[in-house]
Amino acid sequence: MDDRFNTAAGWVLFSGVVALGLSSVSAKYFHADRPERPEAMGFPIEGVVEEGAGGEAGPDLGTLLASADAAAGEKAAQGRCGTCHTFDQGGAAKQGPNLWAVMGKPIGKHAAGFAYSSALSGHGGDWTFENMDAWLKSPKAFAPGTKMSFAGLSNAEDRANILLYLKQQGGGPELPAPAAAAAEAPAAGAAEDAAAGDPTAGAGPAEKPGPEAAGAVASPANDGPTKSTVGVQ
């Protein structure tokens, strides 16, 4: 009885060793024929921009400002920036300067007496709509080293609303024209210049002379009475 049990156990153990060996050999064989996993899964599709690549897509700033809502901008500015800033004329400085009439003013210098960081006061330029939009999007990217702790506002429409509200609070430069309108203006001007330089532009087709005019050109001019030649032999 013990011999048969030992024999059976031996065969089971032997089968396990053989199976383990075959598994190891097959794994190495198939791994050698299998291509390595690519670093980038899938394949790119032409015309599709990956998220985060090529910058943010969407309407240009002029187009966004043309349809912006100053009331929504006031709500967004008070909610996101009101802790550190005031927006009314003569408002006190808080952690940040008062922002009345900031648009169009020199960057980092519009509020007299406020201690701006050197990153902002030494930036140069004015608070144009483009500069303020970039600042609201990412203060640290616009002026590295700034003391402002605000991370930034990624939504372009919210930024446009705030920009329009800031313009209403004390004025500022003219709004930038939408890209589509700016592109149409030179085309219209070129068409007008072409028409002005061409004397035939806008003129209709030349009139053909009638039969009376043709006859007048063909017959010679006579000062005296005209003699008929009918019946002359």
Side-chain angles (χ1 to χ4, degrees):
M1 181 70 176
D2 291 340
D3 292 340
R4 282 182 293 176
F5 176 79
N6 291 338
T7 302
W11 279 110
V12 170
L13 182 60
F14 176 75
S15 300
V17 172
V18 171
L20 183 61
L22 290 174
S23 175
S24 177
V25 171
S26 63
K28 291 181 179 180
Y29 173 78
F30 287 108
H31 180 76
D33 291 343
R34 185 179 61 192
E36 294 294 331
R37 175 189 175 95
E39 292 183 6
M41 298 299 291
F43 55 92
I45 301 176
E46 271 189 52
V48 177
V49 179
E50 295 182 6
E51 184 177 356
E56 78 175 12
D60 61 281
L61 183 58
T63 301
L64 289 171
L65 285 169
S67 59
D69 183 353
E74 178 181 8
K75 184 177 180 181
Q78 296 290 351
R80 295 176 179 270
C81 316
T83 303
C84 300
H85 297 278
T86 56
F87 301 89
D88 54 316
Q89 187 174 13
K94 295 184 178 180
Q95 201 171 353
N98 172 263
L99 297 179
W100 172 266
V102 65
M103 296 305 301
K105 298 297 191 299
I107 295 174
K109 298 174 182 176
H110 80 279
F114 186 82
Y116 292 96
S117 65
S118 58
L120 202 58
S121 62
H123 186 279
D126 297 332
W127 281 123
T128 62
F129 287 99
E130 292 78 7
N131 282 337
M132 186 63 79
D133 181 63
W135 167 258
L136 292 175
K137 183 178 180 181
S138 176
K140 294 187 182 302
F142 181 81
T146 178
K147 294 185 295 185
M148 186 162 173
S149 59
F150 180 57
L153 189 59
S154 61
N155 189 291
E157 293 182 359
D158 287 346
R159 296 198 305 270
N161 292 337
I162 293 175
L163 290 175
L164 190 61
Y165 169 65
L166 290 177
K167 178 176 171 61
Q168 287 191 353
Q169 300 303 104
E174 292 296 322
L175 297 178
E184 289 174 1
E192 292 176 1
D193 292 343
D198 185 358
T200 63
E207 295 183 359
K208 294 182 179 180
E212 297 82 359
V217 173
S219 58
N222 295 313
D223 295 332
T226 305
K227 295 180 180 180
S228 175
T229 58
V230 178
V232 175
Q233 298 299 321

